[in-house]
Each structure stands twice: as C-alpha cells, then as structure tokens.
C-alpha cells in the first residue's frame, strides 16, 4: 500500500494562499483529509484476522502506520457476520459486561467500537472453540501522520483541497484571509464530500441506489 | 560608470577644474563614497546584487553576506526547488517547532523585520545546499588609486552595480556634500539645490517604476473610480 505525503498537495494550494507557510498548509490538508475520511469512509482496510482470547473483552485494532480506525464496515467471526452495536445495546443485553461470571462467557455476538485504538466483544469469549475475527474497517489519518494511502488520497484530493482552503481562508488577520472564499470552499467541500460518500456507498460502481419500503410490524 | 566620470562632472559643476584644486581628488573620492552610501540607504534596490551563497547548515536563522545592506529575495535552492516567502508570525503560531525540524533543502524563507541582514529558512538547510539570493550590496570604498583604473566590472574604478543613467544623480549628491563643507567656499544655495535634486531624482526613479515595471503601464490609476 504505497503512501502519498500530504506535502505533495501543498504546491497546488500555495498560489491560493500567498505568504502562508508550507507546514501550515500541510496541517490543514491533514485536517481536511481526516474530515473527508470520517464523512465518506473512503479509506477502507481489511484488517489481518485477530484470534480472540478467552476471557478478554477488549482488543487493539491493527491499522497501518499513520492511521487509526474510524468505523466498522463489516465484521465476521469464524466467517459469520456479527453486528456492530452501541454500549447501550451491550449493557441492555449483558448488564454485567465486561465483568461476566466465568459461566457467562460464550461465543461473542456483538462488537463495539471503544475508541480509535480498540474494540470490545460481547459477550466475553469463552474457550469452547477458537474465534477468528476478520473485519473491514474505515480508516482516517492520525493527527501526526505525514501521509496516507496513495490511491485513496488521489481519489479524495479535490475534496481535501477545498476543505484545507476553507480552513486557511478563515484564519483571522492573515494576508490571505478571505471570508467569501472560505464560504465558497466550505460549500465545495460539503458538495464534494457528498459526492464521494455517494460513490463509496455505491461501491464506486454505477448502479443506482434502490429504496425499498419496509413494512410496519 | 567610471569613478573619473563622476569626479570630472563634479569639478565642472563646482568650477574646480584648475590646479591647484579647491578640493583634492582624495577629498572628492571620499565624498563620492559618502554619496554612494546615502544612495544605498535611500534606494537599496539600485545596488541589488544576485549571488549563490552557502547558508549555515542546520540553522533556521541565517545571516546575509558580510557586504549586504539588506536581504531582498531568496529565490531558490541552486539546482533545486524554488523558495517561497512566508509570514514568520503564522509559522510561529501554527507550527511553533519549525526551527527544530530536520535539515533539508529549504522551501520557505522569512524576513527578520527588525534586522535587514537576518532571515529565516524553513526547514533549516542541509549540507551541500546553496541558495540563489538577491541582496543590496554595500558600495565599495573607492580610493584615489581607483580613479585611473578602467578595469571592467566588478573591479577597478568602475562603480559597481549602479547604472550609467544615475551619473547625474550621484554628481548632484557629491556637489551637495562638497558645497556643504564649512569653509570659505561654502555655497549654501547650491548645496540646498543639489540636495533637493539628488533626493528628488532618486524618488522620481522609484515612482517611474509604476510606468515601466507594470504590465499595463499603471493605466489603471488613470481610470476614474
């Protein structure tokens, strides 16, 4: 997975914000890239399978360097899909989670995103069999990252550019400050993000989105 | 422009062409040196000089060459990337650790607003980096010996950097200084007239840039708003 550094976009922006130091431009490129990744889930990553440990409820993600996990896209335990849920759902089902009595350990049914570095399994796994977890996650760059996956960055470059310019033009009392341009680029940012998000939802294909009514139960 | 041309122009204007002179060659060359220093303060751009320099490796704060009056521009890394001028204040606010970044070919430079011969580079330059810069060069101190030396630029009796068109201006500057010397030949009126002409001509040269240096010849200024 080749990496493209954020500073490769600086030259494209520098004429828009004359006098702005390159590290400042790079910082806002990174911020915008994080935002685009969060909103579009464009950076997908198949994590290496994780073998669960009996009695252990929380596990670290294993993202590539310079990235962290923003959301689950698909999770399977021994090949069977399991459901991402909220803390509230877990506590509703397992009030004593994660401190189960040993007899309440069993095959995990749910997964919860604890934070950007770790996730939790509920119920806490038992030792009846080996549990291998495979998951597709959506990544975003770390605040300290110098770059991100090249193909994803190429894909979201225009949205990142608008996002960075929106932030840069809003900085107060700089020679390049321009509130009108800030508004324009923020609108462009939202528009491009929506487009990217739609493309991601369609799997980058050309199929149309179908809406199917759900019956009342 | 030869030093001797300035000297003969001054002698003609102050009617000091017969030996023994009122002002010796030594005195007038000294006054030419003073007039040149006045000019470089008023119009540092007239003495602009471009050169390759080797910056201090690993240092964010750099010093201009020893003969610099003020740094004017840092263009590029020799054989490498261009260097863009940016605001130091923005750098300090948004990226305070910039001075400690690892050395590399610089991409940004910043002026030191209170010290015309200091400037900042980001990132601090690495070994082997050379910069192509422009600075206002301190005029040489000429001596009587240089009067008869017609070696081409940049040596001998040629006044470095200054264009021939500025010959009348420097002559006025020297007349102003010579006629201001407090002796029996002092001519306050002529000193005042030459002083006025000297500074006005220097400033007029600056104003004419709007016509000569702008793409539209400053026609925008003529359009009523």
């Amino acid at each position: 997975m080749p990496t493209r550094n954020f500073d490769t976009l600086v030259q494209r922006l520098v004429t828009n914000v004359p006098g702005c130091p390159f590290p400042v431009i790079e910082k806002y490129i990174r911020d915008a890239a994080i935002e685009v990744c969060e909103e579009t889930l464009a950076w997908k990553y198949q994590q290496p399978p994780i073998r669960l440990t009996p009695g252990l409820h929380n596990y670290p993600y294993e993202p590539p360097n310079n990235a962290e996990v923003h959301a689950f896209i698909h999770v399977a335990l021994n090949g069977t899909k399991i459901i991402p849920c909220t803390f509230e759902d877990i506590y509703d089902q397992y009030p004593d989670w994660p401190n189960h009595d040993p007899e309440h350990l069993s095959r995990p049914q749910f997964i919860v995103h604890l934070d950007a570095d770790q996730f939790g399994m509920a119920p806490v796994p038992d030792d009846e069999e080996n549990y291998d977890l495979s998951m597709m996650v959506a990544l975003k760059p770390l605040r300290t990252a110098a770059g991100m996956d090249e193909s994803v960055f190429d894909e979201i470059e225009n949205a990142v550019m608008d996002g960075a310019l929106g932030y840069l033009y809003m900085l107060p009392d700089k020679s390049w400050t321009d509130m009108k341009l800030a508004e324009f680029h923020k609108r462009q940012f939202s528009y491009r993000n929506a487009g990217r998000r739609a493309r991601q939802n369609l799997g980058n294909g050309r199929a149309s989105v179908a809406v199917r009514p759900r019956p009342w139960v | 422009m030869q030093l001797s041309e300035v000297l003969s122009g001054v002698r003609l204007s102050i009617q000091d062409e017969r030996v023994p002179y009122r002002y010796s060659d030594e005195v007038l060359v000294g006054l030419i040196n003073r007039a040149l220093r006045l000019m470089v303060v008023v119009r540092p751009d007239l003495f602009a000089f471009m050169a390759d320099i080797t910056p201090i490796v690993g240092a964010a704060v750099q010093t201009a060459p020893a003969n610099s009056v003020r740094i004017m521009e840092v263009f590029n890394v020799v054989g490498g990337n261009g260097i863009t001028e940016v605001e130091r204040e923005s750098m300090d606010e948004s990226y305070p650790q910039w001075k400690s970044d690892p050395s590399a070919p610089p991409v940004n430079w910043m002026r030191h607003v209170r010290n015309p011969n200091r400037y900042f580079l980001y990132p601090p330059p690495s070994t082997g980096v050379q910069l192509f810069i422009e600075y206002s060069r301190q005029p040489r101190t000429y001596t009587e010996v240089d009067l008869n030396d017609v070696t081409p630029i940049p040596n001998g009796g040629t006044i470095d950097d200054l264009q021939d068109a500025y010959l009348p201006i420097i002559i006025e500057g020297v007349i102003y200084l010579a006629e201001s010397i407090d002796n029996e030949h002092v001519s306050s009126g002529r000193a005042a007239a030459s002083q006025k002409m000297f500074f006005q001509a220097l400033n007029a040269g600056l104003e004419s840039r709007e016509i000569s240096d702008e793409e539209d010849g400053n026609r925008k200024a003529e359009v009523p708003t």
Side-chain angles (χ1 to χ4, degrees), chain A residues 93-137:
Chain A
Q93 299 257 359
Y94 309 102
D96 56 350
W97 186 85
N99 304 309
H100 297 316
D101 291 333
E103 63 270 21
H104 288 152
L105 302 181
S106 67
R107 178 190 173 90
Q109 304 294 319
F110 301 100
I111 185 168
V112 63
H113 181 76
L114 297 175
D115 57 42
D117 298 320
Q118 54 184 348
F119 61 93
M121 301 300 301
V124 179
D126 59 21
D127 57 0
E128 291 293 312
E129 56 179 313
N130 288 332
Y131 298 117
D132 288 321
L133 193 71
S134 61
M135 60 170 84
M136 173 77 82
V137 291

Side-chain angles (χ1 to χ4, degrees), chain A residues 11 14 18-24 26-28 171-176, chain B residues 82 84-91 93-95 98 101 107-108 110 122:
Chain A
Q11 284 300 334
V14 72
C20 183
F22 286 13
V24 180
E26 190 182 333
K27 178 185 165 196
Y28 286 105
L171 292 176
D173 301 327
K174 302 295 173 201
S175 58
W176 63 86
Chain B
T84 312
E85 183 177 358
V86 298
E87 294 178 4
R88 189 177 58 84
E89 195 182 53
S90 302
M91 189 76 108
E93 287 167 358
S94 301
Y95 190 55
W98 66 272
D101 263 15
V107 293
N108 287 155
M110 293 148 271
Y122 173 81

Side-chain angles (χ1 to χ4, degrees), chain B residues 162-222:
Chain B
L162 206 56
Q163 298 293 313
D164 285 353
Y166 287 89
L167 177 64
I169 300 177
I170 189 168
I171 288 173
E172 290 303 328
V174 179
I175 294 169
Y176 145 56
L177 293 172
E179 298 292 28
S180 304
I181 294 172
D182 190 12
N183 60 19
E184 69 270 28
H185 308 297
V186 69
S187 171
S188 309
R190 188 180 290 166
S194 289
Q195 181 205 32
K196 193 174 172 186
M197 201 179 293
F198 177 63
F199 287 111
Q200 273 184 349
L202 286 175
N203 287 321
L206 200 59
E207 286 163 13
S208 67
R209 282 180 162 199
E210 288 181 359
I211 299 166
S212 61
D213 295 2
E214 292 186 15
E215 196 64 37
D216 68 348
N218 200 32
R219 280 196 298 273
K220 283 195 294 266
E222 295 168 12

Side-chain angles (χ1 to χ4, degrees), chain B residues 32-33 35-50 67-70 72 134-140 142 159-163 166 170 202 209:
Chain B
I32 291 172
N33 286 329
L36 285 169
R37 277 158 181 70
L38 277 174
M39 287 176 82
V40 78
V41 171
V42 178
R43 290 286 306 278
D45 57 308
L46 297 180
F47 298 84
F49 180 68
M50 296 199 281
N67 60 349
S68 164
V69 176
R70 63 169 49 242
M72 297 172 86
E134 185 174 34
Y135 63 96
S136 178
R137 188 161 67 160
Q138 176 81 37
R140 268 193 295 145
Y142 297 94
I159 296 178
D160 302 331
D161 306 323
L162 206 56
Q163 298 293 313
Y166 287 89
I170 189 168
L202 286 175
R209 282 180 162 199

